[in-house]
């Protein structure tokens, strides 16, 4: 049935029948849907006090880049450095890890192209591989591979450049080049080049990528001198230290002790199993990304135990719905869209994933939790990486109900996770398709 004049007239009559619609339309025209729907009562629930907090450094700023997952990881890692060296604050270089991420992602992309030379160009897999081969986004396990291989350095050892802080053109141009190299590899295969010849071509292309990255981001140090002065004015110095040595000595994370948990309550992903995603990674030789799917209660319990132990928690969420950025509030009731726009049956979390209405888009750090008298969480303290102009000087307050609905992944030490969930690692990894929602990358 088409939209007839009679049907349009009925719609108009139904709209005019409710006088409140005109008032709402005026408010939206003046200030927009979000401001017109803002629930001021929710603001009163978020006083930014929390019963348990971890140490944290000064707020960081990823600027015009999608490096949230790096910032979140390094913001959690730097707490260890601050404690070891008695520092008030500290910052690790996000540009250093960006450089290696881009180089390793390029290599991973080339390897994926070589693995799919006989796949049809018009097929879904090739379309997926070519869509965003070098985007800024990532997941925890991808970053763990970078730390394991390349370590970390202080920010002043490899500071920001124009393109590390503003990656749009840089990523677009590198993407353009990678697609051309992919076309050349596939064309070479079509023309009868051997695997050895194609790999020689790949190394040549990768050399060009390295040169591109050095020009845009600077050359990463192989060794450097580290100096700092602690809160007691004591001077610390380490000469000719490598990034790997710095990470081992001044961060000290045993990456094998870390585990990623997800909450994906969809029918195709039973709890208590470990999952991976095909063709998703950064460092090709690293362990494949993997995470254990657990109920939201188990995920929150692990996060709470970590925070109580003074260890911040990396987490990935959908940083879109019900976020009041100026106030720093993440709450499912912060906007009353049902009153301004009309009631709508709510999705379940599983339905949002199944119908593409939600997925992981942003990574931050849980640095606190407010527990009631029975030990149940009320709200969570969130350290963001958008500078200090949003939220309360860069910090956000998240309701527990929002956590339930829009948090999808955390990284914690295995010691904070019930053994019955860790037993999932004894079974073979369940392989998910590259376009599965759990393959989404934190990129805001």
């Amino acid at each position: 049935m088409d939209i007839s004049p009679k049907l349009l007239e009925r719609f108009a009559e139904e709209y005019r029948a409710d006088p409140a619609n005109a008032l709402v339309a005026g408010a939206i025209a003046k200030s927009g849907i979000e401001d017109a729907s803002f629930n001021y009562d929710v603001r009163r629930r978020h006083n930014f006090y929390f019963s348990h907090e971890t140490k944290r450094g000064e707020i960081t700023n990823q600027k015009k880049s999608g490096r949230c997952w790096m910032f979140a990881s390094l913001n959690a890692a730097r707490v260890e450095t601050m404690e070891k060296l008695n520092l008030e604050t500290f910052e690790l270089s996000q540009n250093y890890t960006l450089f290696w991420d881009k180089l390793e992602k390029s290599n991973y992309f080339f390897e994926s192209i070589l693995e799919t030379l006989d796949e049809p160009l018009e097929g879904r897999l090739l379309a997926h591989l070519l869509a965003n081969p070098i985007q800024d986004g990532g997941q925890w396990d991808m970053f763990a591979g970078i730390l394991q291989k390349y370590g970390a350095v202080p920010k002043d050892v490899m500071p920001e450049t124009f393109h590390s802080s503003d990656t749009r053109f840089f990523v677009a141009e590198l993407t353009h080049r990678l697609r051309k190299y992919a076309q050349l590899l596939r064309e070479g295969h079509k023309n009868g080049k051997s695997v050895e010849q194609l790999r020689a071509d790949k190394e040549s292309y990768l050399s060009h990528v390295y040169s591109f990255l050095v020009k845009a981001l600077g050359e990463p140090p192989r060794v450097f001198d580290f100096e700092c002065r602690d809160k007691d004015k004591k001077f610390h110095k380490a000469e000719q230290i490598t990034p790997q040595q710095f990470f081992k000595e001044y961060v000290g994370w045993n990456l094998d002790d870390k585990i990623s948990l997800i909450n994906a309550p969809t029918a195709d992903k039973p709890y208590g199993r470990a999952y991976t995603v095909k063709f998703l990674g950064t460092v090709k030789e690293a362990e494949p990304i993997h995470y254990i799917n657990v109920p939201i209660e188990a995920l929150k319990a692990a996060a709470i135990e970590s925070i109580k132990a003074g260890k911040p928690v990396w987490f990935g969420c959908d940083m879109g719905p019900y976020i009041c950025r100026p106030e720093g509030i993440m709450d499912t009731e912060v906007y009353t869209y049902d009153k301004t726009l009309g009631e709508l049956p709510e999705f379940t979390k599983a339905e949002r994933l199944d119908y593409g209405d939600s997925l992981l888009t942003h990574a931050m750090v849980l640095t606190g939790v407010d527990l009631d008298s029975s030990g149940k969480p009320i709200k969570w303290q969130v350290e963001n990486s958008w500078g200090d102009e949003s939220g309360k000087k860069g910090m956000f307050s998240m309701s527990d109900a929002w956590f339930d609905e829009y948090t999808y992944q955390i990284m914690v030490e295995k010691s904070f996770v019930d053994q019955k969930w860790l037993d999932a690692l004894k079974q073979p990894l369940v392989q998910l398709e590259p376009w599965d929602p759990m393959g989404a990358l934190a990129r805001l």
Side-chain angles (χ1 to χ4, degrees), residues 321-338:
Y322 299 99
I323 304 290
C324 182
R325 183 167 177 168
E327 298 281 350
I329 294 174
M330 306 159 71
D331 193 303
T332 56
E333 297 180 0
V334 72
Y335 297 116
T336 56
Y337 296 133
D338 59 328

Side-chain angles (χ1 to χ4, degrees), residues 54-319:
T54 70
K55 184 179 288 189
R56 64 178 188 272
E58 292 179 356
I59 287 296
T60 55
N61 193 341
Q62 66 191 72
K63 298 184 179 178
K64 297 178 181 180
S65 73
R67 296 174 292 166
C68 59
W69 59 299
M70 293 184 179
F71 274 75
S73 300
L74 295 175
N75 285 346
R78 67 175 171 169
V79 170
E80 304 287 344
T81 309
M82 290 161 58
E83 291 181 342
K84 289 175 185 292
L85 294 173
N86 189 34
L87 302 175
E88 190 69 41
T89 189
F90 185 71
E91 194 165 353
L92 293 159
S93 172
Q94 304 89 1
N95 186 25
Y96 176 79
T97 51
L98 176 67
F99 182 99
W100 295 119
D101 175 62
K102 295 304 186 195
L103 186 65
E104 290 286 351
K105 272 182 179 164
S106 297
N107 182 61
Y108 196 100
F109 171 70
F110 289 144
E111 288 296 319
S112 296
I113 293 299
L114 291 175
E115 290 174 27
T116 57
L117 290 171
D118 294 317
E119 287 284 329
L121 185 60
E122 67 276 10
R124 187 174 186 181
L125 179 55
L126 259 295
H128 176 84
L129 294 177
L130 293 169
N132 290 297
I134 201 72
Q135 64 170 293
D136 284 351
Q139 294 189 3
W140 159 250
D141 278 1
M142 297 163 71
F143 197 72
I146 296 171
L147 292 176
Q148 190 84 54
K149 186 171 182 177
Y150 296 105
V153 303
K155 187 157 191 168
D156 57 8
V157 171
M158 190 168 176
E160 294 288 289
T161 68
F162 177 89
H163 279 300
S164 68
S165 296
D166 188 343
T167 58
R168 183 188 60 81
F169 178 83
F170 158 58
V171 169
E173 180 59 28
L174 187 50
T175 298
H176 165 68
R177 292 167 180 267
L178 290 180
R179 287 172 179 154
K180 180 59 184 179
Y181 294 144
Q183 182 265 321
L184 292 174
L185 287 172
R186 288 177 62 88
E187 189 69 17
H189 173 65
K190 182 180 177 182
N191 292 334
K193 279 192 175 184
S194 67
V195 173
E196 291 75 17
Q197 290 173 313
L198 292 175
R199 290 203 172 278
D201 289 344
K202 187 206 85 164
E203 288 189 9
S204 173
Y205 304 153
L206 205 54
S207 177
H208 290 303
V209 171
Y210 183 90
S211 177
F212 181 104
L213 293 174
V214 172
K215 292 171 183 175
L217 305 175
E219 190 165 12
R222 299 299 195 270
V223 294
F224 62 94
D225 294 341
F226 170 57
E227 298 175 332
C228 70
R229 195 174 294 277
D230 66 22
K231 289 188 290 186
D232 299 326
K233 308 303 180 184
K234 181 181 177 181
F235 184 69
H236 301 264
K237 183 172 184 176
E239 295 180 316
Q240 294 298 284
I241 189 172
T242 69
Q244 293 85 350
Q245 289 170 331
F246 180 85
F247 178 72
K248 182 177 180 179
E249 183 171 347
Y250 294 105
V251 176
W253 272 357
N254 182 348
L255 295 168
D256 292 334
D257 288 343
K258 309 291 185 183
I259 188 64
S260 180
L261 305 178
I262 60 170
N263 175 243
T266 50
D268 64 327
K269 298 181 186 68
Y271 291 141
R273 290 300 305 272
Y275 297 85
T276 188
V277 180
K278 300 174 186 176
F279 294 100
L280 180 62
T282 295
V283 178
K284 187 63 179 179
E285 70 271 23
E287 288 291 315
I289 67 158
H290 60 279
Y291 19 65
I292 303 170
N293 195 19
V294 301
I296 194 67
E297 293 77 16
L299 190 145
K300 288 195 290 187
I304 290 170
E305 290 305 306
S306 183
I307 291 170
K308 284 182 175 180
K311 297 183 181 297
V313 177
W314 184 102
F315 81 107
C317 63
D318 183 358
M319 197 63 169

